[in-house]
Amino acid sequence: MDKDFLPVEIRCSPEKGKNMNLTGSPRKLKDTAADVFNTLHRWTDLNKDGRNAMNEIANIKLDIILSKEAASEETVSHSNSFPTSLEPLCQQLAEIYKKMEKCVNKLEGFAQIMENLHQLESYRNSKSEETLSPMFLTWHTAHFVEATQEVFKSYKKELSLKKMIIENVCHATDRNTMMFYIAAWIHQPYITDNATLLVESMLTETGHRGC
Amino acid sequence: MDISTSEETKLRGQLHKSFKAVKNCLSIWKEALAACRQPLDQVENLCEQHQCCSAANIEQSGIIKPFPDIRMRLLYKIDVELEEQLSRINVEMKKLENCCERIGKHCGYSMKSYHENSPYIPLDKVLEQTPTCPAISDMLEWLQQIERLVFQQYHCKKYFLEIFNPNNTEGTENLKDMWSSGDQELINTVEEYLSYTSFFLEEKIT
């Protein structure tokens, strides 16, 4: 379509001007947005690793559950419910959890950076008595703060769910509960579509994604 | 040229086009079925997850107290994923529908051509077959059989998708078997008829 006939002017993020090097708050904000994305990418990889471990645990546990169902309760001793093959898998999950915890701590740090940048920009604007203008395309610094806070909260809640799953997955006594834990690990119910959308919007705003 | 010969040529020309279309549709049909396999596996898996998550008695243990809305959220996520997989299947269904319509149209064209030209073609010509060319009557019969089979298969699949419900244990456990039942029969039948007409399809009908 001819540019003259577009009803609205679509501006690109200022970063798109290749000759212009960002400095100060926009530079810091853009880098933080990239860091948020990279951290979430790392989380996704860890979740995949955890998924494999969970599947292995499920296979072992389901075998036990099914054999228990087939035989009478008395003939299967309690110790059989926790075979030694579960131990390395549980350790693996615990390590994954620690790494995920680090990711969430990083997200908290990024949210704090955004908050500080927002305060700095608000302070500067109050000095110059100008209205707060968008830093890139349409978002004010407050939007970035809200977005990173929202993402951090989602992942923090998800992390606590992961902890509950890791602590209880080996104690599941029936197939449905086992499947519930696995599904909860895979689908990450507390990471909302909104959180994903906010990260994508942040990347578009800062020019990491094409406009 | 004798009138009956030109009318016969017209009819043979239409049959030639129709079987070419069937051949083309068969390869599209096979590709679409192959493309459905992976999303169908996913749907089966997700349905199992959906049923287990709905039935899991997790509240009893009290460990999910900090997550009161977890079941609702989890089922929502599974449903979203299911929708995604079903939409992938629906894309392939559109291809099957196109094949179904195309074969139906060609069958109609051939029958119309036969009815228009049959008064001018002697019956012995309609029934005549050579080692390389099947009889017109046989080809018309095969086309109708192919049309019926394709129509039946497409609508069976459409019906399975329409009545699909992740909570229905019986329906989802056998989804893949129900979905693919009759597929091989259809492919074998069409390939058999195409092999009978292979020399005829290589002929140039002017």
Side-chain angles (χ1 to χ4, degrees):
Chain A
M1 192 192 276
D2 196 321
K3 216 177 170 184
D4 297 338
F5 292 101
L6 278 172
V8 284
E9 187 193 347
I10 302 170
R11 288 186 297 136
C12 279
S13 188
E15 187 276 339
K16 284 282 162 187
K18 291 287 174 196
N19 299 330
M20 199 169 69
N21 284 322
L22 287 176
T23 52
S25 295
R27 170 85 269 159
K28 185 69 189 162
L29 207 148
K30 190 183 171 184
D31 290 348
T32 310
D35 289 340
V36 169
F37 175 76
N38 290 333
T39 308
L40 298 190
H41 195 70
R42 170 88 180 123
W43 171 284
T44 310
D45 289 343
L46 289 168
N47 198 52
K48 275 182 196 161
D49 295 343
R51 180 187 182 153
N52 297 337
M54 287 287 288
N55 281 335
E56 283 184 50
I57 291 175
N59 288 336
I60 296 167
K61 285 295 290 183
L62 286 175
D63 277 348
I64 296 165
I65 291 166
L66 291 174
S67 63
K68 258 191 177 183
E69 275 172 9
S72 64
E73 286 283 321
E74 289 81 21
T75 52
V76 182
S77 66
H78 180 74
S79 58
N80 283 351
S81 299
F82 301 97
T84 47
S85 52
L86 284 177
E87 210 177 315
L89 294 167
C90 289
Q91 276 174 357
Q92 196 185 336
L93 280 180
E95 278 165 27
I96 289 169
Y97 175 78
K98 274 183 198 164
K99 289 174 187 167
M100 282 181 154
E101 198 176 23
K102 273 185 192 170
C103 288
V104 173
N105 289 340
K106 276 185 184 175
L107 286 177
E108 190 177 15
F110 298 143
Q112 191 56 53
I113 290 171
M114 291 292 192
E115 175 67 40
N116 295 344
L117 280 170
H118 172 60
Q119 282 178 6
L120 180 65
E121 287 303 305
S122 303
Y123 176 72
R124 271 189 193 157
N125 280 282
S126 67
K127 279 259 179 181
S128 61
E129 290 176 0
E130 282 176 15
T131 52
L132 206 62
S133 57
M135 189 151 280
F136 294 96
L137 268 170
T138 55
W139 278 19
H140 296 277
T141 44
H143 283 116
F144 286 97
V145 177
E146 277 171 34
T148 40
Q149 285 284 358
E150 170 91 29
V151 173
F152 163 62
K153 278 180 193 164
S154 287
Y155 278 81
K156 193 181 173 192
K157 187 75 182 171
E158 186 61 39
L159 183 74
S160 58
L161 175 64
K162 300 271 191 223
K163 191 179 180 196
M164 185 276 279
I165 294 171
I166 292 169
E167 284 169 353
N168 293 288
V169 68
C170 290
H171 298 275
T173 49
D174 63 288
R175 185 173 168 272
N176 287 343
T177 312
M178 192 72 221
M179 291 291 281
F180 184 90
Y181 288 139
I182 293 181
W185 184 281
I186 293 169
H187 296 288
Q188 312 200 89
Y190 286 98
I191 298 178
T192 58
D193 295 341
N194 192 37
T196 319
L197 181 69
L198 283 171
V199 176
E200 282 303 312
S201 308
M202 203 152 65
L203 293 175
T204 308
E205 274 287 325
T206 49
H208 289 293
R209 289 260 192 272
C211 64
Chain B
M1 190 194 266
D2 186 5
I3 297 176
S4 69
T5 317
S6 78
E7 303 305 331
E8 191 192 336
T9 313
K10 266 190 205 169
L11 180 53
R12 283 192 180 276
Q14 181 52 53
L15 284 167
H16 192 272
K17 273 188 204 166
S18 297
F19 274 97
K20 281 261 180 204
V22 168
K23 195 177 179 183
N24 185 252
C25 283
L26 181 67
S27 64
I28 296 171
W29 188 277
K30 279 184 188 170
E31 277 171 28
L33 289 185
C36 283
R37 241 168 260 152
Q38 204 216 344
L40 268 174
D41 285 339
Q42 290 281 339
V43 166
E44 218 172 47
N45 190 301
L46 287 164
C47 286
E48 197 186 344
Q49 287 182 29
H50 193 285
Q51 284 151 14
C52 289
C53 290
S54 300
N57 195 4
I58 41 167
E59 285 85 359
Q60 211 176 32
S61 59
I63 48 172
I64 60 143
K65 246 184 186 172
F67 313 99
D69 52 353
I70 185 172
R71 195 195 300 267
M72 187 190 73
R73 281 173 176 269
L74 192 51
L75 290 177
Y76 167 74
K77 284 253 179 173
I78 294 172
D79 285 346
V80 168
E81 182 80 14
L82 260 173
E83 280 297 314
E84 209 173 284
Q85 298 302 329
L86 287 172
S87 66
R88 281 177 67 191
I89 295 173
N90 277 323
V91 170
E92 301 307 320
M93 280 297 286
K94 200 76 200 155
K95 292 180 191 169
L96 297 185
E97 188 187 7
N98 287 341
C99 288
C100 190
E101 279 177 5
R102 212 172 141 203
I103 291 174
K105 270 184 195 170
H106 271 280
C107 187
Y109 293 153
S110 294
M111 287 311 290
K112 194 181 165 206
S113 178
Y114 170 70
H115 288 304
E116 279 173 1
N117 299 309
S118 59
Y120 312 105
I121 309 171
L123 192 61
D124 60 331
K125 284 278 176 194
V126 175
L127 298 171
E128 187 184 71
Q129 56 180 346
T130 66
T132 55
C133 184
I136 290 172
S137 58
D138 283 340
M139 287 197 278
L140 286 169
E141 190 191 332
W142 297 339
L143 261 184
Q144 280 185 322
Q145 260 182 350
I146 292 170
E147 188 211 8
R148 185 183 56 78
L149 275 175
V150 167
F151 183 87
Q152 195 177 314
Q153 277 303 102
Y154 167 70
H155 282 89
C156 275
K157 289 183 197 307
K158 200 177 162 194
Y159 175 70
F160 290 142
L161 288 181
E162 274 170 10
I163 60 158
F164 174 79
N165 177 5
N167 287 315
N168 176 11
T169 328
E170 282 175 27
T172 52
E173 270 177 7
N174 306 318
L175 180 73
K176 247 177 90 182
D177 294 337
M178 289 195 304
W179 174 274
S180 53
S181 69
D183 278 348
Q184 205 47 51
E185 187 200 337
L186 167 79
I187 291 168
N188 289 346
T189 310
V190 178
E191 279 178 346
E192 189 187 337
Y193 293 152
L194 284 174
S195 67
Y196 295 154
T197 54
S198 57
F199 289 115
F200 170 65
L201 289 179
E202 280 170 26
E203 273 177 26
K204 277 192 177 173
I205 297 172
T206 48

